[in-house]
């Protein structure tokens, strides 16, 4: 499923983000960039130890990465798959919706895309940020993610393709329904 926008195309993909041949992939990290489970674990495993070393260098400089923020590293062994950069962003932990979780989630997508544009990436892939361990309801997260990506692709030149990569059939279905209604 895809949507053509003014400057690029948004594609929904059912699959694994580490297997996407795009310039940049986005990691749903935590504030200490320590690595973890879920998509974070999958990306670190596929990229190898270089990624962790680079993340620790960043943390030495900035202390911690706040929810909504985004930083980048190289891609370690993922270079062999054509991926040049990993963009690490931290989604909000869902606490019922009254703690500006939506704003933080939207910033994850917009800041990651701004960073990708600055790096010169022409293609990038997102996982469904915050909807795993961080508990964000996927229907709500899908609407925010897709709206932010569409708006960025309508207003900024540079990125020609954004893949939203959904790991489960259920999440793919929810994102597809959400895209139809936007
Ligand atoms: N490719 C794409 N998506 C994946 C993959 C993968 N290889 N593996 C898991 N996912 C999906 C999950 O199914 C979920 O829908 O990524 C989505 C986000 O889930 P999490 O990885 O749990 O991310 P999040 O909810 O943002 O929680 C972040 O989890 O791993 C830790 O260090 C991370 O503390 C941080 C927290």
């Amino acid at each position: 499923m895809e949507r053509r926008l003014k400057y690029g195309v948004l594609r929904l993909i059912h699959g694994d983000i580490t297997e996407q041949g795009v310039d940049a992939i986005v990691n749903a990290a935590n504030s200490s960039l320590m690595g973890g489970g879920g998509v974070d674990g999958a990306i670190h495993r596929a990229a190898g130890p270089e990624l962790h070393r680079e993340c620790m260098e960043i943390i030495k400089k900035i202390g911690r990465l706040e929810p909504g923020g985004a930083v980048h590293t190289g891609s370690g062994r993922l270079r062999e798959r054509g991926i040049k950069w990993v963009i690490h962003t931290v989604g909000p932990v869902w606490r019922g919706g009254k703690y500006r979780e939506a704003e933080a989630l939207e910033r994850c997508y917009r800041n990651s895309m701004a960073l990708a544009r600055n790096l010169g990436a022409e293609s990038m892939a997102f996982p469904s940020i915050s909807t795993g361990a961080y508990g964000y309801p996927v229907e709500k997260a899908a609407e925010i993610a897709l709206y932010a990506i569409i708006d960025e692709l309508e207003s900024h030149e540079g990125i020609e393709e954004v893949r939203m990569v959904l790991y489960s059939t259920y999440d793919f279905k929810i994102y597809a329904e959400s895209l139809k209604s936007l």
Side-chain angles (χ1 to χ4, degrees):
M1 188 170 185
E2 63 178 50
R3 175 80 59 91
R4 295 202 172 267
L5 289 316
K6 187 167 178 199
Y7 295 110
V9 60
L10 164 62
R11 292 204 164 90
L12 299 189
I13 311 265
H14 182 205
D16 182 334
I17 199 164
T18 64
E19 290 169 6
Q20 306 302 313
V22 287
D23 292 338
I25 62 171
V26 178
N27 182 18
N30 54 58
S31 288
S32 62
L33 300 185
M34 280 291 287
V39 71
D40 197 3
I43 290 174
H44 275 272
R45 270 195 305 281
E50 198 180 316
L51 199 67
H52 182 71
R53 277 198 293 277
E54 283 191 57
C55 285
M56 292 306 96
E57 287 300 316
I58 292 171
I59 289 301
K60 253 193 236 164
K61 285 186 205 135
I62 67 170
R64 57 183 265 121
L65 183 62
E66 295 302 329
V71 296
H72 79 279
T73 60
S75 60
R77 292 197 299 256
L78 287 170
R79 264 192 301 273
E80 294 158 23
R81 299 182 191 176
I83 298 166
K84 298 178 193 158
W85 301 285
V86 177
I87 293 175
H88 306 262
T89 188
V90 181
V93 175
W94 177 255
R95 293 195 291 155
K98 292 190 178 147
Y99 295 87
R100 301 191 166 189
E101 294 97 320
E103 278 173 43
L105 188 62
E106 185 173 343
R107 282 203 307 276
C108 287
Y109 287 93
R110 291 190 187 272
N111 285 335
S112 295
M113 287 182 71
L115 180 51
R117 279 195 300 272
N118 287 338
L119 289 166
E122 291 177 353
S123 57
M124 68 186 298
F126 280 104
S128 177
I129 298 163
S130 279
T131 63
Y134 282 179
Y136 210 115
V138 64
E139 292 82 358
K140 289 185 172 39
E143 206 176 301
I144 292 166
L146 297 174
Y147 177 79
I149 296 169
I150 287 172
D151 191 51
E152 292 287 321
L153 286 177
E154 285 284 17
S155 42
H156 299 280
E157 207 173 353
I159 301 169
E160 290 164 10
E161 181 186 5
V162 176
R163 297 185 194 173
M164 187 74 224
V165 182
L166 291 321
Y167 202 52
S168 74
T169 315
Y170 178 77
D171 287 353
F172 182 82
K173 189 171 147 269
I174 300 291
Y175 273 76
E177 278 167 11
S178 186
L179 184 56
K180 270 185 225 144
S181 71
L182 277 174

